[in-house]
């Protein structure tokens, strides 16, 4: 977004990346195959597949969003698009006590971008994230463990599966609306990564 941006007040918000449509096709096919195996997992809809770079809170003030927005524009202007490898499946905290089902993501540039967004959030007054950044896509949340053994076998088979690669060329500031079964998201601002590739090399080189 360009120019002055009017943000809503006291909203649930987060910063995220979306995968390419091709990768989302493959992931959706995988999720649908798992949906048939267990009713004990609330599987994520395609519209909600995203990588959260930074969850901001349940009641974020408009002034906080405006300050963050300006910083995200600056980050995006100096970051070049990059590639993320999408591979492997698993569960947090582990397959014996599963709470979240995930697909893994691999990219040094992604970790660097998340670190910059985290630093910006803290600079804007948000409390530091307690957990270290773990690049993954949440594809399901475990409600109960009935039939879990079947899902666990499928995840074990998918532990080395390659779901493809996506080109990360933008990030989005979202508003989230919680529902009884699933959440819905609306875009508050979109940021195109428009830096030159050499900017990334210089950043890594110090």
């Amino acid at each position: 977004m360009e120019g002055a941006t009017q943000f809503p007040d006291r909203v649930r918000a987060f910063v995220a990346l979306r995968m390419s449509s091709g990768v989302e096709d493959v992931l959706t096919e995988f999720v649908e195959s798992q949906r048939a195996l267990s009713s004990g997992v609330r599987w994520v809809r395609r519209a909600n597949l995203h990588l959260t770079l930074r969850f901001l809170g349940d009641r974020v003030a408009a002034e906080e969003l405006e300050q963050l927005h300006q910083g995200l524009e600056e980050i995006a202007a100096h970051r070049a698009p990059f590639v993320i490898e999408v591979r492997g499946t698993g569960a947090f905290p582990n397959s014996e006590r599963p709470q979240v089902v995930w697909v893994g993501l691999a990219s040094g540039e992604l970790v660097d971008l998340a670190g910059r967004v985290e630093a910006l959030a803290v600079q804007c007054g948000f409390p530091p994230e307690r957990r270290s950044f773990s690049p993954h896509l949440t594809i399901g949340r475990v409600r109960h463990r009935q039939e879990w053994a079947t899902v666990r076998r499928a995840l074990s088979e998918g532990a080395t599966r390659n779901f493809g690669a996506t080109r990360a060329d933008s990030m989005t500031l979202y508003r989230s609306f919680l529902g009884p079964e699933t959440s819905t998201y609306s875009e508050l601002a979109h940021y195109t990564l428009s830096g030159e590739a050499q900017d990334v090399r210089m950043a890594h080189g110090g």
Side-chain angles (χ1 to χ4, degrees):
M1 291 185 174
E2 296 181 356
T5 303
Q6 295 296 318
F7 290 105
D9 195 29
R10 304 298 174 187
V11 297
R12 180 181 175 88
F14 63 95
V15 182
L17 300 179
R18 290 296 299 255
M19 300 295 102
S20 66
S21 59
V23 166
E24 285 191 355
D25 287 343
V26 177
L27 291 175
T28 300
E29 181 181 353
F30 178 76
V31 167
E32 290 305 313
S33 71
Q34 301 309 298
R35 195 186 303 275
L37 297 178
S38 173
S39 60
V41 179
R42 186 172 69 241
W43 299 100
V44 175
R45 301 178 304 156
R46 177 173 183 155
N48 287 7
L49 286 173
H50 65 270
L51 161 66
T52 300
L53 290 172
R54 183 54 150 88
F55 176 68
L56 300 170
D58 292 309
R59 290 177 55 79
V60 185
E63 312 87 74
E64 295 175 307
L65 290 174
E66 174 58 35
Q67 186 177 4
L68 189 82
H69 168 67
Q70 294 175 10
L72 290 173
E73 286 187 319
E74 182 68 17
I75 290 174
H78 293 89
R79 302 301 294 170
F82 56 91
V83 174
I84 302 173
E85 300 290 337
V86 185
R87 58 173 183 263
T89 57
F92 289 141
N94 55 56
S95 61
E96 299 300 322
R97 297 181 294 109
Q99 296 179 358
V100 170
V101 182
W102 53 262
V103 168
L105 304 174
S107 168
E109 290 92 341
L110 172 59
V111 174
D112 181 78
L113 177 61
R116 291 174 185 268
V117 173
E118 169 65 16
L120 169 65
V122 172
Q123 180 183 333
C124 291
F126 293 92
E129 181 59 63
R130 291 176 295 176
R131 293 174 294 183
S132 60
F133 178 67
S134 176
H136 71 278
L137 285 174
T138 295
I139 60 171
R141 298 186 183 278
V142 180
R143 294 186 287 193
H144 58 76
R145 299 180 194 173
Q146 295 176 5
E147 307 165 323
W148 173 250
T150 304
V151 177
R152 182 169 58 184
R153 283 196 295 272
L155 294 180
S156 178
E157 293 170 359
T160 59
R161 178 172 174 177
N162 187 347
F163 293 92
T166 190
R167 183 176 185 268
D169 56 12
S170 65
M171 54 184 172
T172 303
L173 176 60
Y174 285 106
R175 178 179 183 178
S176 174
F177 301 87
L178 296 180
E181 286 296 320
T182 188
S183 300
T184 56
Y185 310 132
S186 65
E187 182 179 310
L188 295 176
H190 189 76
Y191 310 92
T192 300
L193 305 185
S194 54
E196 299 294 333
Q198 64 180 19
D199 290 342
V200 176
R201 289 195 295 269
M202 289 173 62
H204 284 297

